[in-house]
Amino acid sequence: MDFQMTEHGFTHTTSFDTLHVSGDETYGFRPYQLLVSSIAVCSGGVFRKILKKKRISFDDMSLSADVVRNVDGVNEVTDVSLHFVITGTDASESTIQKALDLATKNCPIVQSVNKSIRITETFTLINE
């Protein structure tokens, strides 16, 4: 990956678009936002693939991430809590938990950072 310095941060150009990264969110994504997004989206993507592979149907999935940073240190990310909301499934909570545990073990980003960042994953099932 190549990054080009700008007045307020750096850019990275891909075939999709240009990513603007800056310590000032007025000028782009802040680095910690990208870190948390990478953890959340990787975990969610692996989780979705596992549910589909196990033929567990659902209508929708969303997730939220809560972040704890060490303000007494260098403001590093210490904890990321992911919460999935799965709508429209008839799968049991234990089946979903097993799939989520498998996703955690198979997400390369979670596995890359889990020795330095505590990651917890929970879910809620909504059956309409």
Side-chain angles (χ1 to χ4, degrees):
M1 293 179 72
D2 296 318
F3 296 87
Q4 181 62 45
M5 187 171 70
T6 66
E7 182 179 351
H8 300 286
F10 289 86
T11 60
H12 171 67
T13 302
T14 69
S15 58
F16 177 72
D17 207 346
T18 300
L19 175 66
H20 296 267
V21 183
S22 174
D24 180 345
E25 95 180 42
T26 306
Y27 300 103
F29 292 100
R30 295 181 63 200
Y32 94 90
Q33 291 171 320
L34 295 173
L35 174 67
V36 174
S37 295
S38 295
I39 293 167
V41 172
C42 181
S43 183
V46 172
F47 188 30
R48 179 179 58 195
K49 283 181 187 177
I50 289 169
L51 291 173
K52 289 190 182 242
K53 190 172 189 176
K54 291 184 171 285
R55 297 183 181 175
I56 299 169
S57 62
F58 58 95
D59 294 333
D60 194 22
M61 178 190 299
S62 62
L63 71 115
S64 60
D66 290 321
V67 180
V68 175
R69 298 178 73 179
N70 181 5
V71 295
D72 294 330
V74 294
N75 212 18
E76 71 273 19
V77 174
T78 60
D79 298 82
V80 175
S81 299
L82 302 177
H83 185 74
F84 295 88
V85 176
I86 303 162
T87 306
T89 185
D90 57 3
S92 69
E93 287 195 12
S94 65
T95 298
I96 297 296
Q97 185 63 59
K98 287 177 187 173
L100 183 56
D101 292 344
L102 192 57
T104 301
K105 291 177 186 172
N106 287 286
C107 173
I109 302 299
V110 168
Q111 292 306 311
S112 295
V113 301
N114 71 358
K115 289 182 176 60
S116 58
I117 299 172
R118 186 176 17 257
I119 298 172
T120 56
E121 297 172 306
T122 57
F123 66 89
T124 300
L125 299 179
I126 299 175
N127 296 314
E128 297 179 334

mmCIF file with all atom_site columns, all heavy atoms in Angstrom, residues 101-127:
data_model
loop_
_atom_site.group_PDB
_atom_site.id
_atom_site.type_symbol
_atom_site.label_atom_id
_atom_site.label_alt_id
_atom_site.label_comp_id
_atom_site.label_asym_id
_atom_site.label_entity_id
_atom_site.label_seq_id
_atom_site.pdbx_PDB_ins_code
_atom_site.Cartn_x
_atom_site.Cartn_y
_atom_site.Cartn_z
_atom_site.occupancy
_atom_site.B_iso_or_equiv
_atom_site.pdbx_formal_charge
_atom_site.auth_seq_id
_atom_site.auth_comp_id
_atom_site.auth_asym_id
_atom_site.auth_atom_id
_atom_site.pdbx_PDB_model_num
ATOM 1   N N   . ASP A 1 101 ? -18.594 -17.607 17.667 1.00 0.00 ? 101 ASP A N   1
ATOM 2   C CA  . ASP A 1 101 ? -17.305 -18.073 18.200 1.00 0.00 ? 101 ASP A CA  1
ATOM 3   C C   . ASP A 1 101 ? -16.385 -18.515 17.065 1.00 0.00 ? 101 ASP A C   1
ATOM 4   O O   . ASP A 1 101 ? -15.189 -18.220 17.069 1.00 0.00 ? 101 ASP A O   1
ATOM 5   C CB  . ASP A 1 101 ? -17.504 -19.227 19.186 1.00 0.00 ? 101 ASP A CB  1
ATOM 6   C CG  . ASP A 1 101 ? -18.192 -18.800 20.470 1.00 0.00 ? 101 ASP A CG  1
ATOM 7   O OD1 . ASP A 1 101 ? -18.252 -17.587 20.765 1.00 0.00 ? 101 ASP A OD1 1
ATOM 8   O OD2 . ASP A 1 101 ? -18.700 -19.702 21.182 1.00 0.00 ? 101 ASP A OD2 1
ATOM 9   N N   . LEU A 1 102 ? -16.935 -19.189 16.080 1.00 0.00 ? 102 LEU A N   1
ATOM 10  C CA  . LEU A 1 102 ? -16.164 -19.636 14.925 1.00 0.00 ? 102 LEU A CA  1
ATOM 11  C C   . LEU A 1 102 ? -15.675 -18.444 14.100 1.00 0.00 ? 102 LEU A C   1
ATOM 12  O O   . LEU A 1 102 ? -14.532 -18.418 13.630 1.00 0.00 ? 102 LEU A O   1
ATOM 13  C CB  . LEU A 1 102 ? -17.023 -20.575 14.072 1.00 0.00 ? 102 LEU A CB  1
ATOM 14  C CG  . LEU A 1 102 ? -16.341 -21.358 12.982 1.00 0.00 ? 102 LEU A CG  1
ATOM 15  C CD1 . LEU A 1 102 ? -15.203 -22.204 13.521 1.00 0.00 ? 102 LEU A CD1 1
ATOM 16  C CD2 . LEU A 1 102 ? -17.375 -22.241 12.281 1.00 0.00 ? 102 LEU A CD2 1
ATOM 17  N N   . ALA A 1 103 ? -16.525 -17.441 13.968 1.00 0.00 ? 103 ALA A N   1
ATOM 18  C CA  . ALA A 1 103 ? -16.139 -16.231 13.230 1.00 0.00 ? 103 ALA A CA  1
ATOM 19  C C   . ALA A 1 103 ? -14.983 -15.530 13.930 1.00 0.00 ? 103 ALA A C   1
ATOM 20  O O   . ALA A 1 103 ? -14.035 -15.086 13.269 1.00 0.00 ? 103 ALA A O   1
ATOM 21  C CB  . ALA A 1 103 ? -17.338 -15.289 13.099 1.00 0.00 ? 103 ALA A CB  1
ATOM 22  N N   . THR A 1 104 ? -15.042 -15.435 15.242 1.00 0.00 ? 104 THR A N   1
ATOM 23  C CA  . THR A 1 104 ? -13.971 -14.791 16.003 1.00 0.00 ? 104 THR A CA  1
ATOM 24  C C   . THR A 1 104 ? -12.637 -15.493 15.750 1.00 0.00 ? 104 THR A C   1
ATOM 25  O O   . THR A 1 104 ? -11.611 -14.847 15.532 1.00 0.00 ? 104 THR A O   1
ATOM 26  C CB  . THR A 1 104 ? -14.294 -14.809 17.508 1.00 0.00 ? 104 THR A CB  1
ATOM 27  O OG1 . THR A 1 104 ? -15.530 -14.132 17.715 1.00 0.00 ? 104 THR A OG1 1
ATOM 28  C CG2 . THR A 1 104 ? -13.207 -14.150 18.327 1.00 0.00 ? 104 THR A CG2 1
ATOM 29  N N   . LYS A 1 105 ? -12.654 -16.813 15.744 1.00 0.00 ? 105 LYS A N   1
ATOM 30  C CA  . LYS A 1 105 ? -11.429 -17.597 15.534 1.00 0.00 ? 105 LYS A CA  1
ATOM 31  C C   . LYS A 1 105 ? -10.904 -17.475 14.112 1.00 0.00 ? 105 LYS A C   1
ATOM 32  O O   . LYS A 1 105 ? -9.720  -17.699 13.876 1.00 0.00 ? 105 LYS A O   1
ATOM 33  C CB  . LYS A 1 105 ? -11.692 -19.067 15.859 1.00 0.00 ? 105 LYS A CB  1
ATOM 34  C CG  . LYS A 1 105 ? -11.929 -19.336 17.317 1.00 0.00 ? 105 LYS A CG  1
ATOM 35  C CD  . LYS A 1 105 ? -12.252 -20.796 17.551 1.00 0.00 ? 105 LYS A CD  1
ATOM 36  C CE  . LYS A 1 105 ? -12.642 -21.020 19.005 1.00 0.00 ? 105 LYS A CE  1
ATOM 37  N NZ  . LYS A 1 105 ? -13.134 -22.373 19.233 1.00 0.00 ? 105 LYS A NZ  1
ATOM 38  N N   . ASN A 1 106 ? -11.771 -17.143 13.167 1.00 0.00 ? 106 ASN A N   1
ATOM 39  C CA  . ASN A 1 106 ? -11.376 -17.132 11.754 1.00 0.00 ? 106 ASN A CA  1
ATOM 40  C C   . ASN A 1 106 ? -11.268 -15.749 11.136 1.00 0.00 ? 106 ASN A C   1
ATOM 41  O O   . ASN A 1 106 ? -11.000 -15.626 9.937  1.00 0.00 ? 106 ASN A O   1
ATOM 42  C CB  . ASN A 1 106 ? -12.344 -17.997 10.945 1.00 0.00 ? 106 ASN A CB  1
ATOM 43  C CG  . ASN A 1 106 ? -12.112 -19.456 11.216 1.00 0.00 ? 106 ASN A CG  1
ATOM 44  O OD1 . ASN A 1 106 ? -11.141 -20.026 10.747 1.00 0.00 ? 106 ASN A OD1 1
ATOM 45  N ND2 . ASN A 1 106 ? -12.975 -20.057 12.017 1.00 0.00 ? 106 ASN A ND2 1
ATOM 46  N N   . CYS A 1 107 ? -11.463 -14.710 11.918 1.00 0.00 ? 107 CYS A N   1
ATOM 47  C CA  . CYS A 1 107 ? -11.329 -13.346 11.395 1.00 0.00 ? 107 CYS A CA  1
ATOM 48  C C   . CYS A 1 107 ? -9.860  -12.933 11.476 1.00 0.00 ? 107 CYS A C   1
ATOM 49  O O   . CYS A 1 107 ? -9.313  -12.798 12.571 1.00 0.00 ? 107 CYS A O   1
ATOM 50  C CB  . CYS A 1 107 ? -12.203 -12.375 12.186 1.00 0.00 ? 107 CYS A CB  1
ATOM 51  S SG  . CYS A 1 107 ? -11.920 -10.659 11.723 1.00 0.00 ? 107 CYS A SG  1
ATOM 52  N N   . PRO A 1 108 ? -9.204  -12.708 10.341 1.00 0.00 ? 108 PRO A N   1
ATOM 53  C CA  . PRO A 1 108 ? -7.779  -12.381 10.385 1.00 0.00 ? 108 PRO A CA  1
ATOM 54  C C   . PRO A 1 108 ? -7.462  -11.073 11.099 1.00 0.00 ? 108 PRO A C   1
ATOM 55  O O   . PRO A 1 108 ? -6.412  -10.955 11.749 1.00 0.00 ? 108 PRO A O   1
ATOM 56  C CB  . PRO A 1 108 ? -7.355  -12.329 8.914  1.00 0.00 ? 108 PRO A CB  1
ATOM 57  C CG  . PRO A 1 108 ? -8.608  -12.251 8.133  1.00 0.00 ? 108 PRO A CG  1
ATOM 58  C CD  . PRO A 1 108 ? -9.701  -12.807 8.977  1.00 0.00 ? 108 PRO A CD  1
ATOM 59  N N   . ILE A 1 109 ? -8.342  -10.086 11.028 1.00 0.00 ? 109 ILE A N   1
ATOM 60  C CA  . ILE A 1 109 ? -8.070  -8.819  11.705 1.00 0.00 ? 109 ILE A CA  1
ATOM 61  C C   . ILE A 1 109 ? -8.201  -8.986  13.216 1.00 0.00 ? 109 ILE A C   1
ATOM 62  O O   . ILE A 1 109 ? -7.347  -8.524  13.980 1.00 0.00 ? 109 ILE A O   1
ATOM 63  C CB  . ILE A 1 109 ? -8.978  -7.687  11.180 1.00 0.00 ? 109 ILE A CB  1
ATOM 64  C CG1 . ILE A 1 109 ? -8.811  -7.498  9.667  1.00 0.00 ? 109 ILE A CG1 1
ATOM 65  C CG2 . ILE A 1 109 ? -8.712  -6.389  11.927 1.00 0.00 ? 109 ILE A CG2 1
ATOM 66  C CD1 . ILE A 1 109 ? -7.417  -7.117  9.220  1.00 0.00 ? 109 ILE A CD1 1
ATOM 67  N N   . VAL A 1 110 ? -9.237  -9.651  13.667 1.00 0.00 ? 110 VAL A N   1
ATOM 68  C CA  . VAL A 1 110 ? -9.395  -9.906  15.111 1.00 0.00 ? 110 VAL A CA  1
ATOM 69  C C   . VAL A 1 110 ? -8.189  -10.686 15.625 1.00 0.00 ? 110 VAL A C   1
ATOM 70  O O   . VAL A 1 110 ? -7.610  -10.351 16.659 1.00 0.00 ? 110 VAL A O   1
ATOM 71  C CB  . VAL A 1 110 ? -10.715 -10.655 15.407 1.00 0.00 ? 110 VAL A CB  1
ATOM 72  C CG1 . VAL A 1 110 ? -10.736 -11.170 16.844 1.00 0.00 ? 110 VAL A CG1 1
ATOM 73  C CG2 . VAL A 1 110 ? -11.914 -9.756  15.151 1.00 0.00 ? 110 VAL A CG2 1
ATOM 74  N N   . GLN A 1 111 ? -7.770  -11.698 14.888 1.00 0.00 ? 111 GLN A N   1
ATOM 75  C CA  . GLN A 1 111 ? -6.631  -12.496 15.325 1.00 0.00 ? 111 GLN A CA  1
ATOM 76  C C   . GLN A 1 111 ? -5.330  -11.697 15.298 1.00 0.00 ? 111 GLN A C   1
ATOM 77  O O   . GLN A 1 111 ? -4.408  -11.975 16.060 1.00 0.00 ? 111 GLN A O   1
ATOM 78  C CB  . GLN A 1 111 ? -6.506  -13.774 14.487 1.00 0.00 ? 111 GLN A CB  1
ATOM 79  C CG  . GLN A 1 111 ? -7.637  -14.749 14.727 1.00 0.00 ? 111 GLN A CG  1
ATOM 80  C CD  . GLN A 1 111 ? -7.810  -15.096 16.200 1.00 0.00 ? 111 GLN A CD  1
ATOM 81  O OE1 . GLN A 1 111 ? -6.856  -15.431 16.891 1.00 0.00 ? 111 GLN A OE1 1
ATOM 82  N NE2 . GLN A 1 111 ? -9.038  -15.000 16.697 1.00 0.00 ? 111 GLN A NE2 1
ATOM 83  N N   . SER A 1 112 ? -5.252  -10.688 14.445 1.00 0.00 ? 112 SER A N   1
ATOM 84  C CA  . SER A 1 112 ? -4.049  -9.853  14.374 1.00 0.00 ? 112 SER A CA  1
ATOM 85  C C   . SER A 1 112 ? -3.906  -8.926  15.569 1.00 0.00 ? 112 SER A C   1
ATOM 86  O O   . SER A 1 112 ? -2.784  -8.573  15.949 1.00 0.00 ? 112 SER A O   1
ATOM 87  C CB  . SER A 1 112 ? -4.063  -9.005  13.096 1.00 0.00 ? 112 SER A CB  1
ATOM 88  O OG  . SER A 1 112 ? -3.981  -9.818  11.955 1.00 0.00 ? 112 SER A OG  1
ATOM 89  N N   . VAL A 1 113 ? -5.023  -8.506  16.150 1.00 0.00 ? 113 VAL A N   1
ATOM 90  C CA  . VAL A 1 113 ? -4.963  -7.494  17.215 1.00 0.00 ? 113 VAL A CA  1
ATOM 91  C C   . VAL A 1 113 ? -5.383  -8.002  18.589 1.00 0.00 ? 113 VAL A C   1
ATOM 92  O O   . VAL A 1 113 ? -5.240  -7.279  19.571 1.00 0.00 ? 113 VAL A O   1
ATOM 93  C CB  . VAL A 1 113 ? -5.817  -6.245  16.858 1.00 0.00 ? 113 VAL A CB  1
ATOM 94  C CG1 . VAL A 1 113 ? -5.346  -5.624  15.563 1.00 0.00 ? 113 VAL A CG1 1
ATOM 95  C CG2 . VAL A 1 113 ? -7.302  -6.585  16.806 1.00 0.00 ? 113 VAL A CG2 1
ATOM 96  N N   . ASN A 1 114 ? -5.861  -9.227  18.690 1.00 0.00 ? 114 ASN A N   1
ATOM 97  C CA  . ASN A 1 114 ? -6.462  -9.667  19.955 1.00 0.00 ? 114 ASN A CA  1
ATOM 98  C C   . ASN A 1 114 ? -5.485  -9.835  21.110 1.00 0.00 ? 114 ASN A C   1
ATOM 99  O O   . ASN A 1 114 ? -5.902  -9.981  22.248 1.00 0.00 ? 114 ASN A O   1
ATOM 100 C CB  . ASN A 1 114 ? -7.308  -10.922 19.766 1.00 0.00 ? 114 ASN A CB  1
ATOM 101 C CG  . ASN A 1 114 ? -6.488  -12.157 19.491 1.00 0.00 ? 114 ASN A CG  1
ATOM 102 O OD1 . ASN A 1 114 ? -5.267  -12.113 19.390 1.00 0.00 ? 114 ASN A OD1 1
ATOM 103 N ND2 . ASN A 1 114 ? -7.161  -13.284 19.345 1.00 0.00 ? 114 ASN A ND2 1
ATOM 104 N N   . LYS A 1 115 ? -4.194  -9.776  20.870 1.00 0.00 ? 115 LYS A N   1
ATOM 105 C CA  . LYS A 1 115 ? -3.240  -9.830  21.976 1.00 0.00 ? 115 LYS A CA  1
ATOM 106 C C   . LYS A 1 115 ? -2.993  -8.444  22.574 1.00 0.00 ? 115 LYS A C   1
ATOM 107 O O   . LYS A 1 115 ? -2.462  -8.320  23.673 1.00 0.00 ? 115 LYS A O   1
ATOM 108 C CB  . LYS A 1 115 ? -1.936  -10.466 21.513 1.00 0.00 ? 115 LYS A CB  1
ATOM 109 C CG  . LYS A 1 115 ? -2.093  -11.957 21.261 1.00 0.00 ? 115 LYS A CG  1
ATOM 110 C CD  . LYS A 1 115 ? -0.786  -12.593 20.851 1.00 0.00 ? 115 LYS A CD  1
ATOM 111 C CE  . LYS A 1 115 ? -0.899  -14.086 20.702 1.00 0.00 ? 115 LYS A CE  1
ATOM 112 N NZ  . LYS A 1 115 ? -1.825  -14.563 19.747 1.00 0.00 ? 115 LYS A NZ  1
ATOM 113 N N   . SER A 1 116 ? -3.395  -7.402  21.852 1.00 0.00 ? 116 SER A N   1
ATOM 114 C CA  . SER A 1 116 ? -3.194  -6.045  22.360 1.00 0.00 ? 116 SER A CA  1
ATOM 115 C C   . SER A 1 116 ? -4.500  -5.282  22.587 1.00 0.00 ? 116 SER A C   1
ATOM 116 O O   . SER A 1 116 ? -4.511  -4.289  23.296 1.00 0.00 ? 116 SER A O   1
ATOM 117 C CB  . SER A 1 116 ? -2.301  -5.247  21.406 1.00 0.00 ? 116 SER A CB  1
ATOM 118 O OG  . SER A 1 116 ? -2.872  -5.202  20.120 1.00 0.00 ? 116 SER A OG  1
ATOM 119 N N   . ILE A 1 117 ? -5.585  -5.743  21.974 1.00 0.00 ? 117 ILE A N   1
ATOM 120 C CA  . ILE A 1 117 ? -6.895  -5.107  22.135 1.00 0.00 ? 117 ILE A CA  1
ATOM 121 C C   . ILE A 1 117 ? -7.883  -6.187  22.570 1.00 0.00 ? 117 ILE A C   1
ATOM 122 O O   . ILE A 1 117 ? -7.998  -7.230  21.921 1.00 0.00 ? 117 ILE A O   1
ATOM 123 C CB  . ILE A 1 117 ? -7.382  -4.463  20.818 1.00 0.00 ? 117 ILE A CB  1
ATOM 124 C CG1 . ILE A 1 117 ? -6.408  -3.379  20.363 1.00 0.00 ? 117 ILE A CG1 1
ATOM 125 C CG2 . ILE A 1 117 ? -8.800  -3.893  20.984 1.00 0.00 ? 117 ILE A CG2 1
ATOM 126 C CD1 . ILE A 1 117 ? -6.719  -2.827  18.973 1.00 0.00 ? 117 ILE A CD1 1
ATOM 127 N N   . ARG A 1 118 ? -8.586  -5.934  23.653 1.00 0.00 ? 118 ARG A N   1
ATOM 128 C CA  . ARG A 1 118 ? -9.602  -6.878  24.128 1.00 0.00 ? 118 ARG A CA  1
ATOM 129 C C   . ARG A 1 118 ? -10.845 -6.706  23.248 1.00 0.00 ? 118 ARG A C   1
ATOM 130 O O   . ARG A 1 118 ? -11.411 -5.612  23.166 1.00 0.00 ? 118 ARG A O   1
ATOM 131 C CB  . ARG A 1 118 ? -9.930  -6.614  25.598 1.00 0.00 ? 118 ARG A CB  1
ATOM 132 C CG  . ARG A 1 118 ? -10.865 -7.614  26.223 1.00 0.00 ? 118 ARG A CG  1
ATOM 133 C CD  . ARG A 1 118 ? -11.105 -7.392  27.718 1.00 0.00 ? 118 ARG A CD  1
ATOM 134 N NE  . ARG A 1 118 ? -10.752 -6.087  28.233 1.00 0.00 ? 118 ARG A NE  1
ATOM 135 C CZ  . ARG A 1 118 ? -9.649  -5.820  28.951 1.00 0.00 ? 118 ARG A CZ  1
ATOM 136 N NH1 . ARG A 1 118 ? -8.786  -6.755  29.232 1.00 0.00 ? 118 ARG A NH1 1
ATOM 137 N NH2 . ARG A 1 118 ? -9.414  -4.594  29.397 1.00 0.00 ? 118 ARG A NH2 1
ATOM 138 N N   . ILE A 1 119 ? -11.260 -7.787  22.614 1.00 0.00 ? 119 ILE A N   1
ATOM 139 C CA  . ILE A 1 119 ? -12.413 -7.736  21.719 1.00 0.00 ? 119 ILE A CA  1
ATOM 140 C C   . ILE A 1 119 ? -13.497 -8.648  22.275 1.00 0.00 ? 119 ILE A C   1
ATOM 141 O O   . ILE A 1 119 ? -13.248 -9.816  22.568 1.00 0.00 ? 119 ILE A O   1
ATOM 142 C CB  . ILE A 1 119 ? -12.017 -8.171  20.295 1.00 0.00 ? 119 ILE A CB  1
ATOM 143 C CG1 . ILE A 1 119 ? -10.970 -7.206  19.759 1.00 0.00 ? 119 ILE A CG1 1
ATOM 144 C CG2 . ILE A 1 119 ? -13.251 -8.214  19.384 1.00 0.00 ? 119 ILE A CG2 1
ATOM 145 C CD1 . ILE A 1 119 ? -10.341 -7.604  18.465 1.00 0.00 ? 119 ILE A CD1 1
ATOM 146 N N   . THR A 1 120 ? -14.689 -8.085  22.448 1.00 0.00 ? 120 THR A N   1
ATOM 147 C CA  . THR A 1 120 ? -15.839 -8.872  22.870 1.00 0.00 ? 120 THR A CA  1
ATOM 148 C C   . THR A 1 120 ? -16.912 -8.752  21.801 1.00 0.00 ? 120 THR A C   1
ATOM 149 O O   . THR A 1 120 ? -17.049 -7.713  21.157 1.00 0.00 ? 120 THR A O   1
ATOM 150 C CB  . THR A 1 120 ? -16.391 -8.399  24.226 1.00 0.00 ? 120 THR A CB  1
ATOM 151 O OG1 . THR A 1 120 ? -16.708 -7.009  24.137 1.00 0.00 ? 120 THR A OG1 1
ATOM 152 C CG2 . THR A 1 120 ? -15.388 -8.613  25.338 1.00 0.00 ? 120 THR A CG2 1
ATOM 153 N N   . GLU A 1 121 ? -17.633 -9.843  21.624 1.00 0.00 ? 121 GLU A N   1
ATOM 154 C CA  . GLU A 1 121 ? -18.690 -9.873  20.609 1.00 0.00 ? 121 GLU A CA  1
ATOM 155 C C   . GLU A 1 121 ? -19.958 -10.454 21.219 1.00 0.00 ? 121 GLU A C   1
ATOM 156 O O   . GLU A 1 121 ? -19.920 -11.523 21.824 1.00 0.00 ? 121 GLU A O   1
ATOM 157 C CB  . GLU A 1 121 ? -18.235 -10.717 19.404 1.00 0.00 ? 121 GLU A CB  1
ATOM 158 C CG  . GLU A 1 121 ? -17.025 -10.103 18.716 1.00 0.00 ? 121 GLU A CG  1
ATOM 159 C CD  . GLU A 1 121 ? -16.431 -10.998 17.647 1.00 0.00 ? 121 GLU A CD  1
ATOM 160 O OE1 . GLU A 1 121 ? -16.115 -12.166 17.972 1.00 0.00 ? 121 GLU A OE1 1
ATOM 161 O OE2 . GLU A 1 121 ? -16.298 -10.528 16.513 1.00 0.00 ? 121 GLU A OE2 1
ATOM 162 N N   . THR A 1 122 ? -21.041 -9.722  21.061 1.00 0.00 ? 122 THR A N   1
ATOM 163 C CA  . THR A 1 122 ? -22.335 -10.166 21.571 1.00 0.00 ? 122 THR A CA  1
ATOM 164 C C   . THR A 1 122 ? -23.357 -10.018 20.455 1.00 0.00 ? 122 THR A C   1
ATOM 165 O O   . THR A 1 122 ? -23.073 -9.419  19.407 1.00 0.00 ? 122 THR A O   1
ATOM 166 C CB  . THR A 1 122 ? -22.769 -9.328  22.783 1.00 0.00 ? 122 THR A CB  1
ATOM 167 O OG1 . THR A 1 122 ? -22.797 -7.950  22.407 1.00 0.00 ? 122 THR A OG1 1
ATOM 168 C CG2 . THR A 1 122 ? -21.807 -9.513  23.961 1.00 0.00 ? 122 THR A CG2 1
ATOM 169 N N   . PHE A 1 123 ? -24.552 -10.524 20.683 1.00 0.00 ? 123 PHE A N   1
ATOM 170 C CA  . PHE A 1 123 ? -25.593 -10.426 19.667 1.00 0.00 ? 123 PHE A CA  1
ATOM 171 C C   . PHE A 1 123 ? -26.972 -10.363 20.314 1.00 0.00 ? 123 PHE A C   1
ATOM 172 O O   . PHE A 1 123 ? -27.166 -10.780 21.448 1.00 0.00 ? 123 PHE A O   1
ATOM 173 C CB  . PHE A 1 123 ? -25.522 -11.576 18.664 1.00 0.00 ? 123 PHE A CB  1
ATOM 174 C CG  . PHE A 1 123 ? -25.822 -12.927 19.275 1.00 0.00 ? 123 PHE A CG  1
ATOM 175 C CD1 . PHE A 1 123 ? -27.111 -13.415 19.343 1.00 0.00 ? 123 PHE A CD1 1
ATOM 176 C CD2 . PHE A 1 123 ? -24.790 -13.691 19.795 1.00 0.00 ? 123 PHE A CD2 1
ATOM 177 C CE1 . PHE A 1 123 ? -27.385 -14.648 19.904 1.00 0.00 ? 123 PHE A CE1 1
ATOM 178 C CE2 . PHE A 1 123 ? -25.045 -14.921 20.376 1.00 0.00 ? 123 PHE A CE2 1
ATOM 179 C CZ  . PHE A 1 123 ? -26.341 -15.411 20.426 1.00 0.00 ? 123 PHE A CZ  1
ATOM 180 N N   . THR A 1 124 ? -27.900 -9.861  19.538 1.00 0.00 ? 124 THR A N   1
ATOM 181 C CA  . THR A 1 124 ? -29.316 -9.868  19.866 1.00 0.00 ? 124 THR A CA  1
ATOM 182 C C   . THR A 1 124 ? -30.051 -10.434 18.675 1.00 0.00 ? 124 THR A C   1
ATOM 183 O O   . THR A 1 124 ? -29.748 -10.066 17.524 1.00 0.00 ? 124 THR A O   1
ATOM 184 C CB  . THR A 1 124 ? -29.831 -8.429  20.150 1.00 0.00 ? 124 THR A CB  1
ATOM 185 O OG1 . THR A 1 124 ? -29.109 -7.890  21.262 1.00 0.00 ? 124 THR A OG1 1
ATOM 186 C CG2 . THR A 1 124 ? -31.323 -8.438  20.458 1.00 0.00 ? 124 THR A CG2 1
ATOM 187 N N   . LEU A 1 125 ? -31.007 -11.308 18.930 1.00 0.00 ? 125 LEU A N   1
ATOM 188 C CA  . LEU A 1 125 ? -31.848 -11.854 17.870 1.00 0.00 ? 125 LEU A CA  1
ATOM 189 C C   . LEU A 1 125 ? -33.191 -11.139 17.900 1.00 0.00 ? 125 LEU A C   1
ATOM 190 O O   . LEU A 1 125 ? -33.797 -11.003 18.962 1.00 0.00 ? 125 LEU A O   1
ATOM 191 C CB  . LEU A 1 125 ? -32.061 -13.346 18.050 1.00 0.00 ? 125 LEU A CB  1
ATOM 192 C CG  . LEU A 1 125 ? -30.821 -14.236 18.024 1.00 0.00 ? 125 LEU A CG  1
ATOM 193 C CD1 . LEU A 1 125 ? -31.212 -15.687 18.234 1.00 0.00 ? 125 LEU A CD1 1
ATOM 194 C CD2 . LEU A 1 125 ? -30.076 -14.071 16.718 1.00 0.00 ? 125 LEU A CD2 1
ATOM 195 N N   . ILE A 1 126 ? -33.642 -10.688 16.754 1.00 0.00 ? 126 ILE A N   1
ATOM 196 C CA  . ILE A 1 126 ? -34.957 -10.075 16.630 1.00 0.00 ? 126 ILE A CA  1
ATOM 197 C C   . ILE A 1 126 ? -35.735 -10.899 15.613 1.00 0.00 ? 126 ILE A C   1
ATOM 198 O O   . ILE A 1 126 ? -35.365 -10.967 14.441 1.00 0.00 ? 126 ILE A O   1
ATOM 199 C CB  . ILE A 1 126 ? -34.874 -8.598  16.177 1.00 0.00 ? 126 ILE A CB  1
ATOM 200 C CG1 . ILE A 1 126 ? -34.089 -7.793  17.202 1.00 0.00 ? 126 ILE A CG1 1
ATOM 201 C CG2 . ILE A 1 126 ? -36.283 -8.042  15.953 1.00 0.00 ? 126 ILE A CG2 1
ATOM 202 C CD1 . ILE A 1 126 ? -33.846 -6.357  16.809 1.00 0.00 ? 126 ILE A CD1 1
ATOM 203 N N   . ASN A 1 127 ? -36.788 -11.529 16.089 1.00 0.00 ? 127 ASN A N   1
ATOM 204 C CA  . ASN A 1 127 ? -37.630 -12.318 15.194 1.00 0.00 ? 127 ASN A CA  1
ATOM 205 C C   . ASN A 1 127 ? -38.931 -11.571 14.964 1.00 0.00 ? 127 ASN A C   1
ATOM 206 O O   . ASN A 1 127 ? -39.700 -11.384 15.879 1.00 0.00 ? 127 ASN A O   1
ATOM 207 C CB  . ASN A 1 127 ? -37.892 -13.705 15.816 1.00 0.00 ? 127 ASN A CB  1
ATOM 208 C CG  . ASN A 1 127 ? -36.608 -14.478 15.953 1.00 0.00 ? 127 ASN A CG  1
ATOM 209 O OD1 . ASN A 1 127 ? -35.811 -14.529 15.007 1.00 0.00 ? 127 ASN A OD1 1
ATOM 210 N ND2 . ASN A 1 127 ? -36.366 -15.056 17.101 1.00 0.00 ? 127 ASN A ND2 1
#
